[in-house]
Amino acid sequence: VVKELEENAVDAGASQITVVIKDSGKTLIMVTDNGKGMNETDARMSLERHATSKIASADDLFAITTKGFRGEALASISAISHMSLQTKSDETELGTLIEINGGKIESQEVHACANGTQISVKNLFYNVPARRKFLKSDNIEMRHIIDQFERVAIAHPQIKFTLTHNGNEVFILPEG
């Protein structure tokens, strides 16, 4: 989840990415960026399976420069969690807030927010208890999150990255 959300933030052209973790990701994984954000239509489409806003024409398939396609992961993540997506592009005055539970969109509304995107994933695997049992100890799961966070941060020194776990700042990596 952290990998996909971080990579989406990088692809959105963010200069700041903040990752907030609670209980080693079991309670909350929240990634906030100041990238280009999405309009209401793209936000809704990003939650559909096999959908992406990153390809506008067939020629784009031969010039892929992104780390992935937003729709390939968000639909899967939302299916196993309580997820909220808050986004605003600089072209719109107001943003969009979408609440998804177990893959079902519960609400979508106009929302006042900053440019960029914030995705909160709560109660990971709440509806798949058998899968939740396969999660490792909090220390091991947090180590996996830190490893992934570092991989993306090291590859993108032009972006400021922050990682917080249970209210404690773990990393503040300034751009440069």
Side-chain angles (χ1 to χ4, degrees):
V1 171
V2 172
K3 173 189 178 296
E4 294 295 339
L5 298 181
E6 264 189 310
E7 288 179 352
N8 284 341
V10 169
D11 286 345
S15 62
Q16 295 181 355
I17 299 171
T18 301
V19 180
V20 176
I21 305 295
K22 287 190 181 169
D23 301 324
S24 300
K26 294 172 185 171
T27 302
L28 173 70
I29 299 170
M30 181 171 63
V31 176
T32 305
D33 70 65
N34 67 345
K36 66 180 181 178
M38 294 179 278
N39 62 34
E40 183 179 358
T41 302
D42 283 347
R44 183 69 178 242
M45 284 300 297
S46 73
L47 300 166
E48 298 294 327
R49 295 198 179 280
H50 313 296
T52 182
S53 61
K54 295 180 181 180
I55 295 178
S57 70
D59 291 338
D60 290 345
L61 292 171
F62 301 101
I64 295 173
T65 59
T66 63
K67 298 189 174 304
F69 306 107
R70 206 179 284 268
E72 76 181 314
L74 293 185
S76 298
I77 294 167
S78 71
I80 56 164
S81 67
H82 297 109
M83 188 173 105
S84 69
L85 182 151
Q86 174 181 295
T87 188
K88 179 187 169 303
S89 70
D90 60 356
E91 295 141 13
T92 59
E93 194 170 316
L94 294 170
T96 302
L97 173 63
I98 303 174
E99 299 284 341
I100 313 101
N101 292 322
K104 293 184 172 68
I105 294 177
E106 299 290 325
S107 67
Q108 178 174 342
E109 57 193 47
V110 175
H111 188 70
C113 58
N115 289 349
T117 302
Q118 180 180 80
I119 298 178
S120 297
V121 178
K122 298 177 182 173
N123 304 320
L124 197 59
F125 299 119
Y126 83 97
N127 58 351
V128 190
R131 176 62 181 99
R132 190 171 178 101
K133 289 180 185 177
F134 285 100
L135 291 174
K136 307 291 185 213
S137 71
D138 283 357
N139 288 338
I140 292 172
E141 291 297 334
M142 193 59 202
R143 185 71 239 165
H144 291 309
I145 290 169
I146 290 171
D147 288 347
Q148 178 54 46
F149 176 86
E150 289 175 334
R151 276 189 212 105
V152 175
I154 288 169
H156 299 90
Q158 74 282 10
I159 300 172
K160 177 183 179 182
F161 284 89
T162 305
L163 174 64
T164 303
H165 182 235
N166 291 337
N168 299 313
E169 290 179 335
V170 179
F171 288 105
I172 300 174
L173 306 174
E175 59 192 67

